[in-house]
Amino acid sequence: GAPGEGTSYGNAGILTGTATVQVDSATIGPAPFQILYTDVYVKKADGRWQPVAWQSTRPPAPPSPAP
């Protein structure tokens, strides 16, 4: 997927971006799809960033063409 964009807020950081995920289905074979994601990190006392939350969703479908 594309590299994400990150913003830090003191000891918290948020990373957002897009990725391509592929699942392998026994009936239809490989099925790739796009996701939008948000990761939340907290900076630990030793300076390391620890992931604490992750969420993803599929992007909205493009509008149908006009007849």
Side-chain angles (χ1 to χ4, degrees), residues 24-51:
D24 291 319
S25 167
T27 55
I28 63 171
F33 58 93
Q34 291 286 316
I35 62 168
L36 307 172
Y37 66 86
T38 301
D39 296 333
V40 180
Y41 293 83
V42 172
K43 192 171 188 179
K44 306 286 281 184
D46 64 4
R48 293 180 301 128
W49 288 93
Q50 178 178 343

Side-chain angles (χ1 to χ4, degrees), residues 5 22 29-30 40 43 53 57 61 64 66:
E5 292 188 25
Q22 179 169 304
V40 180
K43 192 171 188 179
T57 188
S64 299

